[in-house]
Amino acid sequence: MLTGLNHLTLSVHDLDRSVVFYRDTLGLRLHARWDRGAYLSAGDLWLCLSLDAGAAIGAGGYTHYAFSISQEDFPAFAASLRTAGVAEWQQNSSAGDSLYFLDPDGHQLEIHAGSLAQRLAACRAAPYQGMVFED
């Protein structure tokens, strides 16, 4: 069972400009940044900024919406999506169980069993290229 919105990942053209906007203009808390991205938060909402090529952003890029799911519910829910023939748009390559899938209109969605704290801990153990932690 989905329990809420887990995080947003937004494709951006200019990472520096976007970090300044989300941190300084909107007041989100910057947790970490690396060569191609940044993790910020607003309360319980986790925001990932992902530097993508300009052409990819117009076509959706890596922008997606992730829903929270418990670790216990993840396998059965993922299996039910696959059984229903839901299209997947990429394979998981990051810490924590995730399934990336499309809705009927092509919106890029994800179910994710994990939190920002867990992701940051995994990144501290194996940082992305150029990653610097703010806290």
Side-chain angles (χ1 to χ4, degrees):
M1 167 192 246
L2 301 180
T3 59
L5 191 60
N6 185 278
H7 67 273
L8 303 176
T9 297
L10 302 177
S11 295
V12 300
H13 291 289
D14 182 325
L15 183 61
D16 293 331
R17 179 185 68 187
S18 294
V19 167
V20 167
F21 176 78
Y22 284 99
R23 182 192 59 209
D24 300 345
T25 305
L26 297 185
L28 274 65
R29 180 175 173 207
L30 178 64
H31 294 275
R33 87 175 271 163
W34 60 98
D35 293 351
R36 301 198 52 79
Y39 289 136
L40 301 99
S41 66
D44 291 334
L45 179 65
W46 158 21
L47 175 69
C48 176
L49 302 178
S50 177
L51 185 61
D52 282 329
I57 294 171
Y62 193 59
T63 294
H64 66 276
Y65 312 95
F67 296 95
S68 293
I69 190 166
S70 71
Q71 187 63 55
E72 298 77 29
D73 289 340
F74 182 88
F77 197 90
S80 72
L81 290 175
R82 289 179 172 132
T83 298
V86 173
E88 295 180 42
W89 60 275
Q90 84 164 21
Q91 295 301 306
N92 185 31
S93 62
S94 59
D97 283 338
S98 287
L99 179 71
Y100 298 86
F101 61 99
L102 299 174
D103 79 356
D105 292 301
H107 295 109
Q108 296 180 156
L109 304 175
E110 174 189 359
I111 55 169
H112 181 72
S115 66
L116 175 57
Q118 291 168 323
R119 176 64 56 86
L120 289 170
C123 287
R124 287 183 193 284
Y128 303 138
Q129 184 174 346
M131 190 168 225
V132 176
F133 295 91
E134 300 293 323
D135 49 345

